[in-house]
Amino acid sequence: MPCLSTVPVAANEEVGPGAFLLRAEGDFPAAPGQFYLLRAWDRDPPLSRPMSVFDRKCGQISFLIFVRGQGTRRLAGLRPGDPLTLFGPLGTPVRPRGGRMALVGGGSGIAPLYLAAKEFRTAGEVDAFLGFRDRPFLVPLFQEVASRVHVASEVGAGGVKGVVTEIFRPHGYDACYACGPDGMLERVWQACRSAGVPLWVFLEERMACGVGACRGCAVRTVGGFRLVCRDGPAFPAEEVIWDG
Ligand SMILES: Cc1cc2nc3c(=O)[nH]c(=O)nc-3n(C[C@H](O)[C@H](O)[C@H](O)COP(=O)(O)OP(=O)(O)OC[C@H]3O[C@@H](n4cnc5c(N)ncnc54)[C@H](O)[C@@H]3O)c2cc1C
């Protein structure tokens, strides 16, 4: 059952260009794929902002926030002791398939993959493919929980110069999991489909209630409309109707 709580911010650190690791105190449950609705304001903007759980340990939860607009700017500006309101956990957890698993993240899509790597490694071997626009960050953290970490950066500031789809090859994996912009997800899906490797994609849609009541985050799948907040955010790629 999701809970609503307001807790003080424990730390908020800029870990990369426009990316903040926001930590809050408290025993918040979360499984890979799940997210919380966050807010640190009263009425404006009206909606809370969905954020994947980056990590959780006893007594602390963290989110990796990429600044985009008004809400994420407000979250990025929080200081230790400021109140943060969390509603969750929301979404359906994604399970590890086992065997050799690849996690593929582009831009803010790396956010849900750390918890997935940490939890999935008990079920098999996990490799991470991470794509950054500017200089890479948090790579040592991923190296602690993944067997191999492959890095690409668009500006060539670390790892291979290019985007994550240029370094990712699905061959040899039993399952892949990807999060990032739609165009990247479609390219990862094309590669996985050709290689016959199952893929789960983490979809992002603007959402309001987070619990399936407003139906604002519906996406088209082969089985009809499904809700990112309740049925996802992770879906088998073969069920998604791709627009591109
Ligand atoms: C389930 C889920 C998990 C997410 N996890 C993370 C995370 O861990 N870290 C992170 O940085 N972001 C995450 N996002 C995206 C994040 O919620 C949006 O970037 C944020 O809501 C934007 O709010 P804003 O007020 O800053 O921007 P706004 O001013 O509302 O919009 C600024 C720009 O962001 C775009 N945008 C707004 N909401 C979304 C959205 N939900 N998805 C994609 N683009 C959006 C708008 O189209 C606009 O171009 C997640 C989204 C979902 C649905």
Side-chain angles (χ1 to χ4, degrees):
M1 271 297 281
C3 288
L4 181 70
S5 1
T6 300
V7 293
V9 167
N12 197 11
E13 187 194 344
E14 186 164 14
V15 290
F20 291 77
L21 196 56
L22 174 65
R23 300 175 209 265
E25 304 282 347
D27 268 327
F28 292 96
Q34 287 193 300
F35 64 99
Y36 278 74
L37 288 179
L38 302 187
R39 67 189 293 132
W41 49 87
D42 191 15
R43 295 207 180 136
D44 182 31
L47 299 179
S48 302
R49 298 301 193 244
M51 290 292 153
S52 308
V53 176
F54 179 77
D55 192 15
R56 70 168 289 272
K57 12 186 159 181
C58 205
Q60 202 172 77
I61 189 164
S62 58
F63 302 91
L64 181 59
I65 292 167
F66 289 76
V67 176
R68 277 200 184 139
Q70 192 187 5
T72 47
R73 230 181 350 261
R74 296 278 278 274
L75 294 169
L78 291 175
R79 303 224 171 140
D82 287 345
L84 174 70
T85 301
L86 303 89
F87 179 58
L90 301 169
T92 302
V94 60
R95 308 275 173 214
R97 162 105 174 201
R100 288 195 71 213
M101 295 169 279
L103 306 178
V104 190
S108 60
I110 69 167
L113 301 187
Y114 179 75
L115 184 64
K118 202 169 130 178
E119 303 276 326
F120 286 10
R121 67 188 164 154
T122 57
E125 194 179 303
V126 180
D127 290 347
F129 295 82
L130 308 176
F132 299 85
R133 182 166 299 161
D134 301 300
R135 72 174 163 79
F137 51 90
L138 298 179
V139 173
L141 218 52
F142 277 91
Q143 283 166 334
E144 283 172 19
V145 293
S147 299
R148 275 164 293 271
V149 179
H150 306 273
V151 176
S153 112
E154 287 178 44
V155 295
V160 172
K161 185 173 190 307
V163 292
V164 70
T165 45
E166 291 171 57
I167 56 168
F168 167 67
R169 297 288 175 271
H171 308 276
Y173 289 105
D174 297 296
C176 299
Y177 304 80
C179 185
D182 289 348
M184 175 210 130
L185 294 183
E186 281 201 54
R187 282 196 292 281
V188 172
W189 171 223
Q190 281 158 12
C192 286
R193 192 172 43 188
S194 318
V197 176
L199 170 71
W200 286 77
V201 286
F202 293 67
L203 299 183
E204 285 190 6
E205 281 297 326
R206 305 200 73 157
M207 62 179 59
C209 73
V211 292
C214 73
R215 308 187 70 80
C217 60
V219 288
R220 286 196 306 144
T221 73
V222 292
F225 281 104
R226 300 189 66 201
L227 302 177
V228 170
C229 72
R230 191 193 59 199
D231 306 318
F235 293 90
E238 79 244 20
E239 292 180 12
V240 175
I241 296 180
W242 299 95
D243 287 331

